[in-house]
Amino acid sequence: MIAGAAGLFSLQAVAQSSGQVKASEAVTLNFQGAEIEAVARTFASITGRNVVVDPRVKGTLTLVADKPVSRAAALGQFVAALRLQGYTLVESGGLYKVVPEADAKLQSAGVTVQDGASAHLPGGNQIATQIFKLNFESANNLVPVLRPLISPNNTINANPGSNSLVITDYGDNLRRLASIIAALDVANATDVEVIPVQHAIASDLASLVLRLIGVSNTAAPAGAADAAFKTTLVAEPRTNALILRAANGAQLSLARALIQKLDQPETGSSNGAAGNIHVVYLKNADATKLAVTLRAAVSGNVATSPAPVAAAGAAVASNTTGGQIQADPATNSLIITAPEPQYRQLRAVIDRLDARRAQVFVESLIAEVSVDKAAEFGIQWQGALGQAGDGIIGLLGSNFGAGGKNIINLATAGANGVVSPARGLNIGAARRTNGVYVLGFLARFLEDSGSGNVLSTPNLLTLDNEEAKIVIGQQVPFVTGQFTNTGSNTNGTVNPFQTIERKDVGLTLKVKPQISENGTVKLAIYQEVSSVLASTVNAVNGPTTNKRTIESNVLVEDGNIVVLGGLLQDEYSGNAEKVPGLGDVPLFGNLFKSEARTRKKTNLMVFLRPVVVRDARDSDRLSLDRYDLMSAGLLANQPVPNNLVPINDSPTLPPAPASKPAASASAVPAPLVSPLITTEH
C-alpha cells in the first residue's frame, strides 16, 4: 500500500529491505497532496525504470485508488494525473521523463505511420507522432476539421506534396482521430454529368446555381480547405447544356433540383416557342443605329454591377451583357435575346426611342437685284495735208480705243472692203483721195443698261437632327489638264487629250436642324449661289464662276424669319481719252476726246424660316396648303385662247385628296413668297 508521503517513505523502506515491487504484485495508490517529484520517484520503484523530472515541473497531485491495481494500470493513472496538471510522461531510450506537455512533442521519439487501416498506435496517455496518408480527401481540407479535436499544446500539420497529415498527440486521441480520418478519406466526388437546359440560358443558369448552393471561386487561404473536390458547374453554349461535377451526392441532388426548378418556361409569356428571343419591329427609328445604342447602354450598366460568382475552373461567358441585341435592316427590326425581366426594361427604352420624331420645314428666300449701266461718247479726226506728188505730206488727227472703236482700224478695214464698227451710233465722214474714199471723221454714241431680278425659294423638309440637301443648277465642265502626243509615227499624227471635271453651278442648300426643349430650332446651314460669268463661257482657260457662300449656325424660334447674310455692292468705273489741252476746253473739248463710264449695283439678301412639324396632322396641313397654292397658280396662268394656235391649256395639278384635315387658315404659316412663277402675256 502506498499512501501519501508516509506511504512513500514506508514503501521506500520496504524497497530497501525486500527489493523493488514485483511486476505481478498489485499496488494501492493513495497520494494526498504529494509532491510530483516524490510521486515520480515512487513510480520509478514500481516500474523499475529511472524517472527524471524536469525542473520546470512543480506542484502537488492527488492520486487515490479504491482497490489494488496492476503496475501498468498504476503508471497509466499517474500519467493521467500529470496530464491534468499540464505535464506528461515521455519514454525515451528506456528513461521516463516528466516534462511540461508543451515540450512533450519535442521529447517524444515514437513516430508511427498509418497507411490505410494498418497502424501501430501508442498507449493511451503517451504522446506520440502519427503520420496519416490519405487516399481520396485533401490533407488541407481535413486540417480545419481535426484541429479542434487536438489539445492546444499539440500539433497537426498537412503535407500537400504527399497528401498526408502529421499529428502529435496522446495515444488515445490518435486512435480517435484515426477513426475520423478513415471515415472522411473516401471518394465523395461524383462523375461528370451533362444536364440539357430546355428553356433558360445555360450561361446565366450556371452562375445562379453556383451562388445558390454556396460555392465560391475565391482562393482559399494558406492552411485552409482547397478546391480539389468542390462542385463545378460549367455552361456549354453550343448545346445550351450544363456540365456538373459535384463534391458529394448531397450537392449533386441539390444542384439537380435547382436546375430543374429554374429551367421552366416563362409563365404568362406570349413569345411561345421563341423563348427568350424576341423580335421588335420599329416604326420610326433605324434598327441598325438603335441596336448600337442599346448595346452600349446595356454593357455600361453591367460593367458597374458586381461580377457573378462562378466556381473555380468554370467557364465565364464572354457576353456579360445578359443578352444580345442584333438589328435586321431588311425588316427594320431588333432581335433581342434576353430573359423576360431584362427584355421588359429594354422594351420600355425602345418604345421611348422609337417615337415619331419631329420634322422641320425650312423655307429660304434668296433675292438678288442687279443693275448695270454703261455710256460711251467719242469724236475722232484724221486727215492729210498736201497734194499728190508733193515731197512732204502732213497728217493730222486723233484716234481712241481699239478694234471697231478706232478710226484708223475702221479706215483700214474700209480700204479692204470690210467695215465692222463697234456697237452704238457711229457717225462718220469719208474724203475721196486719188479715187479712194478715206475715213476722216468718226463720232460714237453708246448707252447700255441691264437689270436682273433673281428670286429663288428652295424649301426643305427634314427630320430633327438629320441633314438635308437640295441642289438646283447645272454641271459645268472645267478643263483640269490637257496633253498632246505627236506619237512615233512618221506621218506626224497629233493626239490631243484633255481631262475635264464637272462641278455643280447653281443653288445649293444644306440644312441640319435641331429642335430644343423649348421649341427653339438650331440650324447648321450651308448655302451657296454660283453662276457662270457669261463673257467667259468660251474662254481658253475655261469659264469663270461667280460664287456666294454662307456657312453658319443660328438659333431661330419656331416660325420666325432670320436673315442669314446679304451683299450690297455698288461699282463705278470711268475711262477718258483726250488730246491734251484741246480736250480740256469746255464744250469745244468734246471734239477731241472719247469717254466711257460704267456703273453696277447688286443687292443680294438671304432669308430663312424654320417651321416645326411635330405630327402627321401638321405635316398634312402644311403639304396640302402648299399644294393648293400651286394648283391655284397654275389654273390662273393658263394661256390666252388663240384659234390660230390650237394649244390653249397648260398642265395643272389634280385635285387635292378628299381627306384634307379641317384647319383654319391662320394655323398654316404663310410662305415667304408665293412659290408660283407667273408669266406675262
Side-chain angles (χ1 to χ4, degrees):
M1 179 178 180
I2 303 172
L8 177 59
F9 293 136
S10 61
L11 182 58
Q12 289 176 342
V14 172
Q16 291 176 358
S17 60
S18 60
Q20 295 183 350
V21 178
K22 295 181 180 180
S24 59
E25 293 182 358
V27 295
T28 301
L29 302 177
N30 187 12
F31 294 95
Q32 296 290 339
E35 293 289 338
I36 295 177
E37 185 177 358
V39 176
R41 289 197 300 268
T42 303
F43 275 95
S45 301
I46 295 175
T47 59
R49 291 192 181 184
N50 295 326
V51 177
V52 178
V53 180
D54 191 283
R56 292 171 294 175
V57 177
K58 303 293 182 180
T60 60
L61 59 80
T62 299
L63 181 60
V64 178
D66 296 337
K67 56 183 179 179
V69 294
S70 64
R71 184 182 62 175
L75 182 62
Q77 291 182 12
F78 173 59
V79 176
L82 290 175
R83 185 175 177 181
L84 295 176
Q85 298 288 333
Y87 307 114
T88 188
L89 184 67
V90 177
E91 181 181 3
S92 176
L95 178 67
Y96 283 151
K97 300 178 181 179
V98 179
V99 296
E101 187 180 62
D103 293 343
K105 55 182 175 292
L106 303 177
Q107 302 288 338
S108 175
V111 178
T112 58
V113 179
Q114 179 184 7
D115 188 2
S118 61
H120 174 70
L121 296 177
N125 288 316
Q126 185 178 352
I127 289 181
T129 299
Q130 183 78 24
I131 299 176
F132 297 90
K133 294 184 178 181
L134 305 179
N135 297 320
F136 304 102
E137 187 58 78
S138 171
N140 286 333
N141 289 348
L142 291 184
V143 169
V145 177
L146 301 178
R147 175 71 265 182
L149 304 179
I150 300 173
S151 61
N153 291 326
N154 295 321
T155 61
I156 176 173
N157 295 287
N159 181 18
S162 61
N163 195 35
S164 58
L165 293 172
V166 180
I167 304 175
T168 300
D169 204 0
Y170 292 97
D172 55 353
N173 198 32
L174 289 176
R175 293 178 183 273
R176 183 180 62 155
L177 294 177
S179 301
I180 296 175
I181 292 172
L184 295 177
D185 187 23
V186 295
N188 288 329
T190 63
D191 293 335
V192 176
E193 292 195 13
V194 179
I195 304 175
V197 179
Q198 301 295 332
H199 306 285
I201 300 175
S203 58
D204 296 340
L205 203 59
S207 59
L208 181 60
V209 172
L210 287 175
R211 294 179 65 182
L212 291 175
I213 63 178
V215 177
S216 174
N217 64 341
T218 56
D226 63 7
F229 294 111
K230 281 189 176 181
T231 298
T232 304
L233 188 61
V234 181
E236 205 284 304
R238 187 179 63 85
T239 59
N240 196 39
L242 293 173
I243 303 175
L244 174 64
R245 180 177 180 270
N248 49 60
Q251 286 207 346
L252 176 64
S253 301
L254 178 59
R256 280 179 176 174
L258 288 174
I259 294 172
Q260 183 179 3
K261 290 180 179 180
L262 294 175
D263 186 24
Q264 298 293 331
E266 299 177 5
T267 58
S269 175
S270 59
N271 208 30
N276 286 340
I277 302 178
H278 307 267
V279 179
V280 181
Y281 294 95
L282 303 179
K283 301 180 181 64
N284 301 286
D286 182 80
T288 304
K289 296 180 180 179
L290 188 57
V292 175
T293 302
L294 292 175
R295 282 196 293 264
V298 173
S299 62
N301 290 337
V302 174
T304 58
S305 61
V309 179
V316 180
S318 60
N319 182 18
T320 60
T321 62
Q324 297 179 355
I325 304 173
Q326 298 295 334
D328 181 26
T331 59
N332 195 38
S333 58
L334 295 174
I335 303 174
I336 301 175
T337 304
E340 186 67 23
Q342 188 178 18
Y343 168 71
R344 288 196 296 267
Q345 292 179 348
L346 291 174
R347 187 57 187 269
V349 176
I350 292 172
D351 291 341
R352 292 190 177 184
L353 297 179
D354 192 30
R356 179 187 176 95
R357 295 168 60 185
Q359 302 179 89
V360 178
F361 180 70
V362 181
E363 294 180 290
S364 62
L365 171 62
I366 304 172
E368 181 176 0
V369 179
S370 62
V371 178
D372 296 337
K373 288 186 178 182
E376 295 183 22
F377 168 78
I379 296 177
Q380 303 175 59
W381 302 85
Q382 287 291 334
L385 300 177
Q387 299 296 328
D390 293 344
I392 298 175
I393 297 176
L395 297 176
L396 179 65
S398 62
N399 66 90
F400 308 110
K405 300 178 183 181
N406 187 275
I407 190 173
I408 297 178
N409 292 339
L410 291 176
T412 304
N416 296 329
V418 180
V419 180
S420 299
R423 295 184 304 124
L425 177 61
N426 293 272
I427 301 174
R431 178 184 178 184
R432 185 174 181 179
T433 303
N434 294 330
V436 179
Y437 288 95
V438 179
L439 185 63
F441 170 78
L442 176 64
R444 291 189 64 254
F445 302 91
L446 173 64
E447 183 175 349
D448 186 8
S449 65
S451 62
N453 188 351
V454 180
L455 183 65
S456 301
T457 58
N459 298 333
L460 284 173
L461 180 65
T462 181
L463 285 173
D464 179 27
N465 212 25
E466 294 288 344
E467 183 180 280
K469 178 181 180 181
I470 183 172
V471 178
I472 304 171
Q474 296 176 328
Q475 282 195 331
V476 179
F478 293 86
V479 178
T480 58
Q482 55 185 343
F483 176 74
T484 302
N485 182 15
T486 58
S488 60
N489 299 329
T490 58
N491 56 5
T493 304
V494 178
N495 300 319
F497 177 80
Q498 284 185 339
T499 57
I500 296 176
E501 179 184 3
R502 295 186 178 271
K503 296 183 179 180
D504 293 330
V505 176
L507 174 66
T508 301
L509 175 63
K510 291 193 294 185
V511 179
K512 184 177 182 181
Q514 184 177 359
I515 305 173
S516 62
E517 186 70 21
N518 58 359
T520 302
V521 182
K522 178 184 177 182
L523 297 173
I525 306 165
Y526 175 81
Q527 191 160 33
E528 176 183 315
V529 179
S530 58
S531 61
V532 176
L533 190 62
S535 60
T536 63
V537 172
N538 298 321
V540 177
N541 295 327
T544 302
T545 57
N546 299 320
K547 184 176 180 181
R548 301 176 182 91
T549 302
I550 296 176
E551 186 172 1
S552 178
N553 295 308
V554 297
L555 288 175
V556 192
E557 297 296 330
D558 182 13
N560 288 358
I561 300 175
V562 63
V563 58
L564 297 183
L567 172 65
L568 300 178
Q569 185 177 8
D570 194 347
E571 298 179 5
Y572 172 81
S573 64
N575 182 28
E577 296 176 282
K578 62 183 178 180
V579 177
L582 295 178
D584 297 329
V585 177
L587 188 61
F588 180 75
N590 292 328
L591 299 176
F592 302 97
K593 69 179 179 180
S594 176
E595 188 174 1
R597 296 179 181 180
T598 60
R599 186 173 183 179
K600 182 178 180 181
K601 298 180 67 176
T602 303
N603 295 336
L604 173 64
M605 300 297 291
V606 180
F607 301 90
L608 187 140
R609 177 175 65 180
V611 178
V612 178
V613 182
R614 298 191 179 276
D615 52 26
R617 182 179 179 183
D618 291 344
S619 178
D620 293 342
R621 187 169 55 198
L622 183 65
S623 301
L624 292 174
D625 179 77
R626 297 308 189 267
Y627 191 93
D628 290 344
L629 286 174
M630 179 64 72
S631 178
L634 293 177
L635 290 174
N637 287 275
Q638 291 294 315
V640 177
N642 191 329
N643 294 329
L644 298 177
V645 183
I647 300 177
N648 296 317
D649 56 352
S650 63
T652 60
L653 295 174
S659 60
K660 178 180 178 181
S664 61
S666 61
V668 180
L672 290 175
V673 294
S674 175
L676 307 180
I677 302 175
T678 60
T679 305
E680 296 182 0
H681 301 285

